[in-house]
């Protein structure tokens, strides 16, 4: 067995878009498990937009990654050695091992996976944090009703794709916003969205309005920026807006140009009695089993579809992550470590 552990650490805090200079690939000694711990070999790493916030020193809902520390991230790992009664060698587990090949754990925060029930990679996507985000945001804030219109941007991503499919199962119309004809075709033809709108097209505002003739009742916000500017006038009275991300602004270094649009937003909130609520997934941690039972059941029955975009090699994680923030991925972005 190798005695080395490759890891990617934060080398510098980016100002704007992250690039290779902000990361460093290191080779260190493999961690040694203590009494009561397990040694884990990370097989898959999840890349997610929230990681950009962890690279910044700005105050947020979670502590930033320190310079020189391993980048954070959820992982699917194999147990290589165990001195823990709850885990055996060969078990596959969901954990938070970060951007590295090996890690140790005392078992807290690990979830044993059953490869016979679903592919283990789904624990990082449709049956993981992204899927739970879609489920909890719609269940608790969006609350779509039969016949209503639900709109979601980044609709082919792991959150947006499930938002639309859950909306359909709740009897609502699902309208997806994505970048490019290929992704829009996937929304309509594979995921069953009622309409798919290309935000890169010149007629984006008119096309979205035409796809929502009765307005928008639920807008699941994970992009912000210019897309929200187009959505805002279409929101109906008492519309609900779960806010789980604002990826269009994660690399911003200054406020957007143009007039102050806050008064326009505030007037809409007042006159239309809009419900905008931000949320972080662990706000609804108590609902995780409900999510796994319901969405897991749909997945096993073939009632919902998911897509993965897998990059091979830990060393390729930084480039893949930079592409994620530009919408280059198509589906849930994962790194296959080994």
């Amino acid at each position: 067995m190798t005695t080395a552990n490759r890891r990617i650490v934060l080398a510098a805090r980016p100002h704007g878009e992250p690039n290779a200079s902000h990361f460093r690939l290191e080779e260190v000694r493999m961690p040694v498990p203590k009494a009561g711990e397990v040694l884990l070999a990370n097989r898959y790493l999840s890349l997610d937009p929230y990681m950009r916030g962890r690279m910044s020193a700005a105050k947020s809902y979670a502590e930033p990654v320190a310079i020189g520390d391993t980048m954070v991230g959820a992982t699917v790992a194999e147990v290589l050695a165990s001195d823990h009664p709850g885990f055996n060698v060969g078990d596959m587990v969901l954990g938070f091992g970060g951007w590295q090949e090996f890690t140790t754990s005392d078992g807290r925060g690990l979830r044993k996976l059953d490869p016979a029930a679903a592919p283990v990679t789904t624990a990082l996507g449709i049956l993981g944090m992204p899927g739970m985000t879609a489920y909890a945001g719609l269940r608790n804030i969006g609350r779509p009703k039969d016949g209503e219109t639900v709109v979601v941007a980044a609709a082919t991503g792991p959150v947006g794709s499930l938002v639309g499919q859950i909306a359909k199962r709740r009897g609502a119309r699902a309208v997806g916003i994505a970048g490019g004809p290929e992704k829009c075709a996937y929304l309509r033809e594979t995921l069953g969205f009622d309409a798919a709108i290309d935000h890169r097209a010149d007629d984006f505002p008119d096309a979205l309005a035409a796809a929502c003739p009765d307005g928008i009742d639920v807008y699941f916000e994970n992009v912000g920026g210019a897309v929200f500017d187009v959505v805002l006038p279409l929101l109906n009275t008492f519309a609900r807006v779960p806010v789980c991300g604002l990826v269009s602004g994660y690399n911003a270094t200054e406020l957007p140009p143009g007039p102050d649009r806050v008064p326009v937003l505030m007037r809409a909130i007042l006159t239309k009695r809009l419900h905008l609520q931000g949320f972080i997934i662990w706000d609804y941690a108590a609902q995780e089993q409900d999510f796994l039972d319901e969405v897991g059941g749909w997945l096993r029955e073939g009632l919902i579809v998911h897509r993965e975009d897998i990059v091979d090699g830990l060393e390729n994680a930084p480039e893949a992550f930079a592409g994620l923030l530009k919408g280059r991925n198509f589906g849930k972005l994962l790194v296959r470590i080994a």
Side-chain angles (χ1 to χ4, degrees):
M1 181 184 294
T2 180
T3 59
N5 177 33
R6 294 193 310 156
R7 66 180 186 180
I8 293 178
V9 303
L10 181 63
R13 301 202 185 280
H15 181 71
E17 296 180 4
N19 58 49
S21 70
H22 300 116
F23 303 93
R24 184 172 63 250
L25 178 63
E26 296 182 342
E27 188 170 292
V28 296
R29 185 175 295 277
M30 179 187 288
V32 178
K34 301 181 180 67
E37 292 188 336
V38 295
L39 174 64
L40 302 173
N42 293 323
R43 301 305 186 196
Y44 291 93
L45 165 68
S46 176
L47 295 181
D48 299 284
Y50 78 83
M51 295 171 176
R52 177 60 182 84
R54 301 291 179 87
M55 298 176 73
S56 170
K59 185 176 181 180
S60 186
Y61 60 87
E63 290 295 317
V65 176
I67 299 296
D69 278 2
T70 305
M71 283 291 296
V72 297
T75 50
V76 164
E78 180 181 354
V79 176
L80 295 187
S82 177
D83 190 43
H84 190 291
F87 300 95
N88 298 314
V89 172
D91 283 347
M92 300 298 294
V93 297
L94 172 67
F96 208 67
W99 296 29
Q100 59 185 335
E101 292 178 321
F102 301 98
T103 187
T104 59
S105 172
D106 62 5
R108 287 179 291 183
L110 295 184
R111 189 178 94 207
K112 193 179 298 187
L113 303 174
D114 180 2
V120 293
T121 52
T122 60
L124 297 173
I126 194 166
L127 297 182
M129 180 272 290
M132 178 68 175
T133 298
Y135 179 86
L138 275 186
R139 176 178 178 174
N140 296 281
I141 305 169
R143 305 184 304 279
K145 302 179 182 65
D146 188 58
E148 289 190 328
T149 295
V150 175
V151 174
V152 60
T156 61
V159 176
S161 61
L162 186 57
V163 165
Q165 291 181 86
I166 293 176
K168 293 288 291 182
R169 298 200 63 78
R170 301 290 190 240
R173 291 183 68 247
V175 177
I177 300 171
E182 183 183 6
K183 289 184 177 181
C184 288
Y186 174 75
L187 291 174
R188 293 189 301 267
E189 299 166 11
T190 302
L191 298 187
F193 278 55
D194 295 282
I197 312 300
D198 185 352
H199 68 81
R200 297 174 182 167
D202 293 338
D203 66 343
F204 170 51
D206 291 338
L208 184 61
C212 306
D214 298 320
I216 298 172
D217 300 293
V218 179
Y219 174 58
F220 200 103
E221 177 63 285
N222 49 30
V223 171
V227 172
F228 184 72
D229 288 343
V230 174
V231 167
L232 181 59
L234 301 176
L235 293 175
N236 289 330
T237 301
F238 300 115
R240 288 84 67 197
V241 183
V243 181
C244 81
L246 300 165
V247 69
S248 69
Y250 286 173
N251 290 327
T253 59
E254 58 185 16
L255 292 175
D260 180 3
R261 294 188 289 275
V262 172
V264 175
L265 172 61
M266 296 303 291
R267 180 175 176 80
I269 291 173
L270 172 62
T271 59
K272 293 185 177 182
R273 286 82 89 198
L274 303 179
H275 179 186
L276 281 77
Q277 181 178 333
F279 73 102
I280 306 300
I281 191 57
W282 58 64
D283 295 341
Y284 302 107
Q287 298 177 12
E288 183 180 31
Q289 193 57 53
D290 292 344
F291 156 68
L292 291 172
D293 290 343
E294 190 164 18
V295 178
W298 293 339
L299 184 63
R300 288 187 292 273
E301 294 171 29
L303 300 176
I304 53 174
V305 178
H306 73 108
R307 178 174 177 142
E308 296 173 341
D309 190 341
I310 299 179
V311 173
D312 282 303
L314 178 65
E315 66 277 6
N316 294 316
E319 181 181 358
F321 176 66
L324 169 70
L325 298 177
K326 297 180 179 180
R328 291 176 182 165
N329 61 301
F330 196 163
K332 175 69 191 100
L333 184 58
L334 304 171
V335 175
R336 182 163 33 220
I337 297 176

